[in-house]
Amino acid sequence: MQYGFVIDQTACIGCHACTVACKTEHDVPLGVNRTWVKYIESGTWPDTKRAFSVLRCNHCSDAPCVSICPTGALFRRDDGIVDFDTSLCIGCKSCMQACPYDALYIDPLDNTAQKCNYCVHRVEVGLEPACVVVCPEGAIISGDLNDPTTPISRFFQDQLLRDDQLLQRSPEQGTRPNLWYRGVDKSAIDPLGAVDPGDGGIWGDPAPSFMTVDLTPSTRESKNGQKTPSLSLGGRSDGPPRVVYNTDHPMPWGWRVSSYFLTKGISAGIVMALALSILFGADSESAFARWGAPLISGFFLALTGLLLVVDLKRPDRFHYILTKGNPGSWLVKGAWILTAHAVILGLWFLFGLAGAGFVPVLIWASAAVGLGVAGYTAFLFGQAEGRDLWQSPTLLWHMVAGALAVGGGAGLLCTGIFDLGMSSRRAFAWALVAGAAALAIVTAIEYFSRHPTSNHAAAMHHLTKGAHAAEWWLGGQVIGVVAPMVLGAAFLAGAPVPFWLSQLGGLAALIGIWFADDAFVRAGQSVPLS
């Protein structure tokens, strides 16, 4: 069995009956929708036209939301319907990042993820979904695609005779969606096919009086980074279609995720830098090597866990990741790696205080696991298939390089607390410079590489030229990369500069890399998916 939808946009009148029926059937709160109608307009007044598109979950055969869900709250039934169990949801919002269709939202009442579930409670008793029943034009067609007697199968049989073109949303994502559109304007289902003027559209943010409306043409940047002229009555516009009604989808992840990048980077990087210092001849019996490094690393690891838990919409269920975990999710694999790191750090700290002779073994074990701590996020973000910027093959090297840079920077700052010799100082400076240099190389590769999709290109625009450009270039590259490289290299070259300048370079790495990661996280979410 495989249930699916066909939406005949040649019949749709944009009445929102499907939206209202869905809200009524499932008690969907105000402000969020399982299904909604998007309006776009094109042309020049008075020769304009409006096109509709009904948007919702596509019940994909290869649903990325199911793969990334850490607790199995989202699952694909035997009949092909992608359903959810809110009793397992921890509100991590990763499914919202994985879905290329903006189909998921966080319910403001119970703080769990929700979406269209094909009205399974109706299907199981032989009824059609509520939206299908209520549509006055019969524009929504549902049923089992594998049963030739269902309305949807008969539609496909008739469609072969009509030779109509059926379209799908973002088929390039490889999710194999089970929702088709007949007669839809392509720009209505392409998130970047129509510009969003950012004025709220119809029914949103109305002007206080028609007398205050400026009817002179002007050019401004739309919310999705495109240049679009404002229309004036009787004026001309050669611009693309305009979004005049849609549902808001705020960014699911913010500063907590950006900060988690930094804290776990410090936790992993400082032990990696310490292992490097031992190769440079540093003393593995120093107070810093025996108990200082695991204490500092453990502190930032605990801060990492705190940030992750606080960012959950259901923090009371955080333990589900370990007790009810989906092993296919990199959220779960990451939790295993962080737990292993915590265990090794704990043993290292305790045995270091006790004076055990095998502490160097624990240092190297922690450094090896630290590579996993630094790098696993690249695979987690790789499962967020709705965000093409995060699918970069350089992301793993970005994560490891960033951890090495902040680890070296944190190590240099620790010399103000611990009496570390020149071998340790030089090793930390090398980690700082090498990590910052690697970040510069990764940035150059990403900037000059071909952008594989329009989503990726739009996100790169936001990152390097748009809303997040100042944070990325000034904060991330100048403060986070150039300053650490220059100050660290000056110390390594034996320049007659005070040592505190190299420490300032370490501090700059910590601050600047946070800015870079924050811009990266936000830019990836700045491209509309619906």
Side-chain angles (χ1 to χ4, degrees), residues 389-444:
L389 180 67
W390 299 348
Q391 309 302 306
S392 171
T394 63
L395 186 54
L396 174 61
W397 308 112
H398 174 100
M399 295 285 101
V400 174
L404 191 62
V406 298
L412 289 173
L413 293 172
C414 286
T415 59
I417 304 173
F418 295 88
D419 184 18
L420 298 177
M422 184 56 67
S423 295
S424 295
R425 295 184 180 194
R426 289 185 64 83
F428 291 144
W430 272 113
L432 173 66
V433 172
L439 282 175
I441 293 172
V442 168
T443 298

Short mmCIF file of all heavy atoms in Angstrom, two decimals, residues 389-444:
data_model
loop_
_atom_site.label_atom_id
_atom_site.label_comp_id
_atom_site.label_asym_id
_atom_site.label_seq_id
_atom_site.Cartn_x
_atom_site.Cartn_y
_atom_site.Cartn_z
N LEU A 389 22.59 24.38 2.52
CA LEU A 389 23.88 24.94 2.91
C LEU A 389 24.63 23.99 3.83
O LEU A 389 25.86 23.93 3.81
CB LEU A 389 23.68 26.29 3.61
CG LEU A 389 24.94 27.01 4.08
CD1 LEU A 389 25.79 27.46 2.88
CD2 LEU A 389 24.60 28.21 4.96
N TRP A 390 23.88 23.24 4.63
CA TRP A 390 24.49 22.35 5.61
C TRP A 390 24.91 21.00 5.02
O TRP A 390 25.45 20.16 5.74
CB TRP A 390 23.52 22.10 6.77
CG TRP A 390 23.13 23.34 7.50
CD1 TRP A 390 23.71 24.58 7.41
CD2 TRP A 390 22.07 23.48 8.46
NE1 TRP A 390 23.08 25.47 8.24
CE2 TRP A 390 22.07 24.82 8.89
CE3 TRP A 390 21.14 22.59 8.98
CZ2 TRP A 390 21.15 25.30 9.83
CZ3 TRP A 390 20.22 23.07 9.92
CH2 TRP A 390 20.24 24.40 10.33
N GLN A 391 24.66 20.81 3.73
CA GLN A 391 25.00 19.54 3.10
C GLN A 391 26.41 19.56 2.52
O GLN A 391 26.83 18.63 1.84
CB GLN A 391 24.02 19.22 1.97
CG GLN A 391 22.56 19.31 2.36
CD GLN A 391 22.20 18.40 3.52
OE1 GLN A 391 22.45 17.21 3.47
NE2 GLN A 391 21.61 18.97 4.56
N SER A 392 27.17 20.60 2.79
CA SER A 392 28.50 20.76 2.21
C SER A 392 29.44 19.64 2.64
O SER A 392 29.51 19.29 3.83
CB SER A 392 29.10 22.11 2.63
OG SER A 392 30.45 22.20 2.25
N PRO A 393 30.20 19.06 1.70
CA PRO A 393 31.18 18.02 2.07
C PRO A 393 32.34 18.55 2.89
O PRO A 393 33.11 17.77 3.46
CB PRO A 393 31.65 17.50 0.70
CG PRO A 393 31.38 18.60 -0.26
CD PRO A 393 30.16 19.28 0.25
N THR A 394 32.49 19.88 2.96
CA THR A 394 33.57 20.46 3.75
C THR A 394 33.19 20.68 5.21
O THR A 394 34.03 21.10 6.01
CB THR A 394 34.01 21.82 3.15
OG1 THR A 394 32.90 22.74 3.23
CG2 THR A 394 34.43 21.67 1.70
N LEU A 395 31.94 20.40 5.56
CA LEU A 395 31.47 20.72 6.91
C LEU A 395 32.23 19.93 7.97
O LEU A 395 32.52 20.46 9.05
CB LEU A 395 29.96 20.48 7.02
CG LEU A 395 29.31 20.91 8.34
CD1 LEU A 395 29.61 22.37 8.64
CD2 LEU A 395 27.80 20.68 8.31
N LEU A 396 32.56 18.67 7.69
CA LEU A 396 33.31 17.87 8.67
C LEU A 396 34.65 18.53 8.98
O LEU A 396 35.04 18.65 10.16
CB LEU A 396 33.51 16.46 8.13
CG LEU A 396 34.41 15.54 8.99
CD1 LEU A 396 33.81 15.34 10.37
CD2 LEU A 396 34.61 14.20 8.29
N TRP A 397 35.35 18.98 7.93
CA TRP A 397 36.65 19.62 8.14
C TRP A 397 36.47 20.97 8.82
O TRP A 397 37.34 21.39 9.61
CB TRP A 397 37.36 19.77 6.80
CG TRP A 397 37.41 18.46 6.05
CD1 TRP A 397 36.75 18.14 4.90
CD2 TRP A 397 38.11 17.28 6.45
NE1 TRP A 397 37.01 16.83 4.54
CE2 TRP A 397 37.84 16.28 5.48
CE3 TRP A 397 38.95 16.97 7.52
CZ2 TRP A 397 38.38 15.01 5.56
CZ3 TRP A 397 39.48 15.69 7.60
CH2 TRP A 397 39.20 14.73 6.63
N HIS A 398 35.38 21.64 8.55
CA HIS A 398 35.07 22.90 9.24
C HIS A 398 34.93 22.65 10.75
O HIS A 398 35.48 23.41 11.57
CB HIS A 398 33.78 23.48 8.67
CG HIS A 398 33.28 24.70 9.38
ND1 HIS A 398 33.48 25.97 8.92
CD2 HIS A 398 32.59 24.83 10.55
CE1 HIS A 398 32.95 26.85 9.76
NE2 HIS A 398 32.39 26.18 10.75
N MET A 399 34.23 21.59 11.12
CA MET A 399 34.00 21.29 12.52
C MET A 399 35.32 20.94 13.23
O MET A 399 35.60 21.43 14.33
CB MET A 399 33.03 20.11 12.66
CG MET A 399 31.63 20.36 12.16
SD MET A 399 30.64 21.40 13.25
CE MET A 399 30.77 22.96 12.40
N VAL A 400 36.13 20.09 12.61
CA VAL A 400 37.39 19.65 13.23
C VAL A 400 38.37 20.82 13.32
O VAL A 400 39.02 21.02 14.35
CB VAL A 400 38.00 18.48 12.44
CG1 VAL A 400 39.37 18.11 13.00
CG2 VAL A 400 37.07 17.26 12.50
N ALA A 401 38.46 21.59 12.24
CA ALA A 401 39.37 22.75 12.25
C ALA A 401 38.96 23.76 13.30
O ALA A 401 39.80 24.31 14.03
CB ALA A 401 39.39 23.39 10.86
N GLY A 402 37.65 24.01 13.41
CA GLY A 402 37.18 24.95 14.42
C GLY A 402 37.49 24.48 15.83
O GLY A 402 37.88 25.28 16.69
N ALA A 403 37.33 23.18 16.08
CA ALA A 403 37.63 22.63 17.40
C ALA A 403 39.12 22.76 17.72
O ALA A 403 39.51 23.10 18.85
CB ALA A 403 37.20 21.17 17.47
N LEU A 404 39.96 22.50 16.73
CA LEU A 404 41.40 22.62 16.94
C LEU A 404 41.79 24.07 17.26
O LEU A 404 42.60 24.33 18.17
CB LEU A 404 42.15 22.14 15.71
CG LEU A 404 43.67 21.94 15.84
CD1 LEU A 404 43.97 20.88 16.88
CD2 LEU A 404 44.28 21.56 14.50
N ALA A 405 41.18 25.02 16.54
CA ALA A 405 41.48 26.44 16.77
C ALA A 405 41.04 26.89 18.16
O ALA A 405 41.82 27.52 18.90
CB ALA A 405 40.83 27.29 15.69
N VAL A 406 39.80 26.58 18.54
CA VAL A 406 39.33 27.03 19.85
C VAL A 406 40.01 26.25 20.97
O VAL A 406 40.20 26.77 22.07
CB VAL A 406 37.79 26.94 19.97
CG1 VAL A 406 37.11 27.84 18.95
CG2 VAL A 406 37.30 25.51 19.82
N GLY A 407 40.38 24.99 20.70
CA GLY A 407 41.12 24.22 21.70
C GLY A 407 42.48 24.83 21.96
O GLY A 407 42.92 24.96 23.11
N GLY A 408 43.18 25.20 20.87
CA GLY A 408 44.47 25.86 21.04
C GLY A 408 44.32 27.20 21.73
O GLY A 408 45.12 27.56 22.61
N GLY A 409 43.28 27.95 21.35
CA GLY A 409 43.04 29.23 21.99
C GLY A 409 42.74 29.10 23.47
O GLY A 409 43.25 29.86 24.30
N ALA A 410 41.91 28.11 23.82
CA ALA A 410 41.59 27.88 25.24
C ALA A 410 42.83 27.44 26.00
O ALA A 410 43.04 27.84 27.16
CB ALA A 410 40.50 26.83 25.35
N GLY A 411 43.68 26.62 25.36
CA GLY A 411 44.93 26.19 26.00
C GLY A 411 45.84 27.37 26.31
O GLY A 411 46.45 27.45 27.38
N LEU A 412 45.96 28.32 25.35
CA LEU A 412 46.78 29.51 25.60
C LEU A 412 46.23 30.33 26.75
O LEU A 412 46.98 30.86 27.58
CB LEU A 412 46.85 30.36 24.33
CG LEU A 412 47.68 29.79 23.17
CD1 LEU A 412 47.49 30.65 21.93
CD2 LEU A 412 49.15 29.70 23.55
N LEU A 413 44.90 30.44 26.82
CA LEU A 413 44.30 31.19 27.93
C LEU A 413 44.53 30.50 29.27
O LEU A 413 44.61 31.16 30.31
CB LEU A 413 42.80 31.36 27.68
CG LEU A 413 42.42 32.26 26.49
CD1 LEU A 413 40.92 32.19 26.24
CD2 LEU A 413 42.85 33.70 26.75
N CYS A 414 44.65 29.16 29.24
CA CYS A 414 44.87 28.42 30.49
C CYS A 414 46.26 28.65 31.07
O CYS A 414 46.49 28.35 32.25
CB CYS A 414 44.68 26.92 30.25
SG CYS A 414 42.96 26.44 30.06
N THR A 415 47.20 29.16 30.26
CA THR A 415 48.53 29.42 30.79
C THR A 415 48.51 30.52 31.85
O THR A 415 49.47 30.67 32.60
CB THR A 415 49.50 29.83 29.66
OG1 THR A 415 49.00 31.01 29.01
CG2 THR A 415 49.63 28.71 28.63
N GLY A 416 47.44 31.28 31.90
CA GLY A 416 47.30 32.27 32.95
C GLY A 416 46.91 31.66 34.28
O GLY A 416 47.00 32.32 35.32
N ILE A 417 46.49 30.39 34.27
CA ILE A 417 46.08 29.70 35.50
C ILE A 417 47.08 28.62 35.86
O ILE A 417 47.46 28.47 37.03
CB ILE A 417 44.67 29.08 35.31
CG1 ILE A 417 43.67 30.16 34.91
CG2 ILE A 417 44.23 28.37 36.58
CD1 ILE A 417 42.31 29.61 34.55
N PHE A 418 47.55 27.87 34.87
CA PHE A 418 48.47 26.77 35.09
C PHE A 418 49.87 27.17 34.61
O PHE A 418 50.02 27.92 33.63
CB PHE A 418 48.02 25.51 34.35
CG PHE A 418 46.72 24.95 34.84
CD1 PHE A 418 45.52 25.39 34.31
CD2 PHE A 418 46.69 23.99 35.84
CE1 PHE A 418 44.31 24.88 34.76
CE2 PHE A 418 45.49 23.48 36.30
CZ PHE A 418 44.29 23.92 35.77
N ASP A 419 50.88 26.68 35.27
CA ASP A 419 52.26 26.98 34.90
C ASP A 419 52.67 26.03 33.78
O ASP A 419 53.21 24.94 34.04
CB ASP A 419 53.17 26.83 36.12
CG ASP A 419 54.61 27.22 35.80
OD1 ASP A 419 54.80 27.90 34.77
OD2 ASP A 419 55.51 26.82 36.56
N LEU A 420 52.42 26.43 32.56
CA LEU A 420 52.71 25.60 31.40
C LEU A 420 54.01 26.05 30.76
O LEU A 420 54.27 27.25 30.60
CB LEU A 420 51.58 25.67 30.38
CG LEU A 420 50.21 25.18 30.87
CD1 LEU A 420 49.14 25.38 29.81
CD2 LEU A 420 50.28 23.71 31.28
N GLY A 421 54.83 25.07 30.37
CA GLY A 421 56.12 25.37 29.78
C GLY A 421 56.01 25.82 28.34
O GLY A 421 54.94 25.85 27.74
N MET A 422 57.17 26.14 27.76
CA MET A 422 57.21 26.65 26.40
C MET A 422 56.73 25.61 25.40
O MET A 422 56.10 25.96 24.38
CB MET A 422 58.62 27.11 26.05
CG MET A 422 58.74 27.75 24.68
SD MET A 422 57.60 29.17 24.44
CE MET A 422 58.29 30.33 25.61
N SER A 423 57.00 24.32 25.64
CA SER A 423 56.54 23.28 24.72
C SER A 423 55.02 23.28 24.61
O SER A 423 54.45 23.19 23.51
CB SER A 423 57.04 21.91 25.18
OG SER A 423 58.43 21.82 25.12
N SER A 424 54.34 23.41 25.74
CA SER A 424 52.88 23.44 25.74
C SER A 424 52.37 24.70 25.06
O SER A 424 51.43 24.65 24.27
CB SER A 424 52.34 23.37 27.17
OG SER A 424 52.66 22.13 27.77
N ARG A 425 53.01 25.82 25.34
CA ARG A 425 52.57 27.08 24.75
C ARG A 425 52.69 27.05 23.23
O ARG A 425 51.80 27.50 22.52
CB ARG A 425 53.38 28.23 25.33
CG ARG A 425 53.15 28.45 26.82
CD ARG A 425 53.90 29.66 27.33
NE ARG A 425 53.68 29.86 28.76
CZ ARG A 425 53.98 30.98 29.42
NH1 ARG A 425 54.51 32.01 28.75
NH2 ARG A 425 53.75 31.09 30.70
N ARG A 426 53.82 26.52 22.76
CA ARG A 426 54.02 26.46 21.32
C ARG A 426 53.04 25.48 20.68
O ARG A 426 52.53 25.73 19.57
CB ARG A 426 55.46 26.06 21.00
CG ARG A 426 56.47 27.15 21.31
CD ARG A 426 57.87 26.74 20.84
NE ARG A 426 57.93 26.59 19.40
CZ ARG A 426 58.11 27.58 18.54
NH1 ARG A 426 58.22 28.83 18.98
NH2 ARG A 426 58.15 27.35 17.24
N ALA A 427 52.76 24.37 21.35
CA ALA A 427 51.81 23.40 20.81
C ALA A 427 50.42 24.01 20.71
O ALA A 427 49.72 23.84 19.69
CB ALA A 427 51.77 22.15 21.68
N PHE A 428 50.00 24.74 21.74
CA PHE A 428 48.69 25.37 21.69
C PHE A 428 48.64 26.45 20.60
O PHE A 428 47.62 26.61 19.92
CB PHE A 428 48.34 25.98 23.05
CG PHE A 428 48.11 24.96 24.14
CD1 PHE A 428 48.51 25.21 25.44
CD2 PHE A 428 47.49 23.75 23.85
CE1 PHE A 428 48.29 24.28 26.45
CE2 PHE A 428 47.27 22.81 24.85
CZ PHE A 428 47.68 23.07 26.15
N ALA A 429 49.74 27.17 20.45
CA ALA A 429 49.78 28.19 19.39
C ALA A 429 49.72 27.54 18.01
O ALA A 429 49.06 28.06 17.10
CB ALA A 429 51.04 29.03 19.53
N TRP A 430 50.41 26.40 17.85
CA TRP A 430 50.34 25.68 16.57
C TRP A 430 48.91 25.20 16.30
O TRP A 430 48.43 25.27 15.16
CB TRP A 430 51.30 24.49 16.57
CG TRP A 430 52.69 24.82 16.10
CD1 TRP A 430 53.84 24.81 16.83
CD2 TRP A 430 53.05 25.23 14.78
NE1 TRP A 430 54.92 25.19 16.06
CE2 TRP A 430 54.46 25.45 14.78
CE3 TRP A 430 52.35 25.45 13.60
CZ2 TRP A 430 55.15 25.86 13.65
CZ3 TRP A 430 53.04 25.85 12.47
CH2 TRP A 430 54.42 26.06 12.50
N ALA A 431 48.25 24.69 17.33
CA ALA A 431 46.85 24.25 17.15
C ALA A 431 45.98 25.42 16.75
O ALA A 431 45.12 25.30 15.85
CB ALA A 431 46.33 23.62 18.45
N LEU A 432 46.19 26.58 17.37
CA LEU A 432 45.41 27.78 17.06
C LEU A 432 45.63 28.20 15.61
O LEU A 432 44.67 28.42 14.86
CB LEU A 432 45.82 28.91 18.00
CG LEU A 432 45.23 30.29 17.71
CD1 LEU A 432 43.73 30.29 17.93
CD2 LEU A 432 45.90 31.35 18.60
N VAL A 433 46.89 28.30 15.20
CA VAL A 433 47.20 28.76 13.85
C VAL A 433 46.75 27.75 12.81
O VAL A 433 46.16 28.11 11.78
CB VAL A 433 48.70 29.06 13.73
CG1 VAL A 433 49.08 29.36 12.28
CG2 VAL A 433 49.09 30.23 14.63
N ALA A 434 47.04 26.46 13.06
CA ALA A 434 46.66 25.43 12.08
C ALA A 434 45.15 25.35 11.93
O ALA A 434 44.63 25.23 10.81
CB ALA A 434 47.23 24.08 12.52
N GLY A 435 44.42 25.41 13.05
CA GLY A 435 42.96 25.36 12.97
C GLY A 435 42.38 26.56 12.24
O GLY A 435 41.49 26.42 11.39
N ALA A 436 42.91 27.76 12.54
CA ALA A 436 42.42 28.97 11.87
C ALA A 436 42.75 28.94 10.38
O ALA A 436 41.93 29.33 9.54
CB ALA A 436 43.03 30.20 12.53
N ALA A 437 43.96 28.46 10.03
CA ALA A 437 44.34 28.37 8.62
C ALA A 437 43.45 27.38 7.88
O ALA A 437 43.04 27.63 6.73
CB ALA A 437 45.81 27.97 8.50
N ALA A 438 43.16 26.25 8.53
CA ALA A 438 42.27 25.26 7.90
C ALA A 438 40.87 25.85 7.70
O ALA A 438 40.22 25.59 6.67
CB ALA A 438 42.20 24.00 8.76
N LEU A 439 40.41 26.63 8.65
CA LEU A 439 39.10 27.29 8.49
C LEU A 439 39.11 28.24 7.30
O LEU A 439 38.14 28.34 6.56
CB LEU A 439 38.74 28.05 9.76
CG LEU A 439 38.20 27.23 10.94
CD1 LEU A 439 38.01 28.12 12.16
CD2 LEU A 439 36.89 26.55 10.58
N ALA A 440 40.22 28.96 7.13
CA ALA A 440 40.33 29.88 5.99
C ALA A 440 40.26 29.12 4.67
O ALA A 440 39.61 29.56 3.72
CB ALA A 440 41.63 30.67 6.09
N ILE A 441 40.92 27.97 4.62
CA ILE A 441 40.91 27.16 3.39
C ILE A 441 39.51 26.63 3.12
O ILE A 441 39.01 26.69 1.99
CB ILE A 441 41.92 26.00 3.52
CG1 ILE A 441 43.35 26.54 3.57
CG2 ILE A 441 41.77 25.02 2.35
CD1 ILE A 441 44.39 25.50 3.89
N VAL A 442 38.85 26.12 4.16
CA VAL A 442 37.49 25.61 4.01
C VAL A 442 36.55 26.72 3.54
O VAL A 442 35.71 26.52 2.65
CB VAL A 442 36.99 24.99 5.33
CG1 VAL A 442 35.49 24.71 5.27
CG2 VAL A 442 37.75 23.71 5.64
N THR A 443 36.69 27.91 4.12
CA THR A 443 35.86 29.04 3.72
C THR A 443 36.07 29.39 2.25
O THR A 443 35.10 29.63 1.50
CB THR A 443 36.17 30.26 4.60
OG1 THR A 443 35.85 29.96 5.96
CG2 THR A 443 35.35 31.47 4.15
N ALA A 444 37.32 29.40 1.81
CA ALA A 444 37.62 29.72 0.41
C ALA A 444 37.04 28.67 -0.53
O ALA A 444 36.46 29.01 -1.57
CB ALA A 444 39.14 29.82 0.22
#
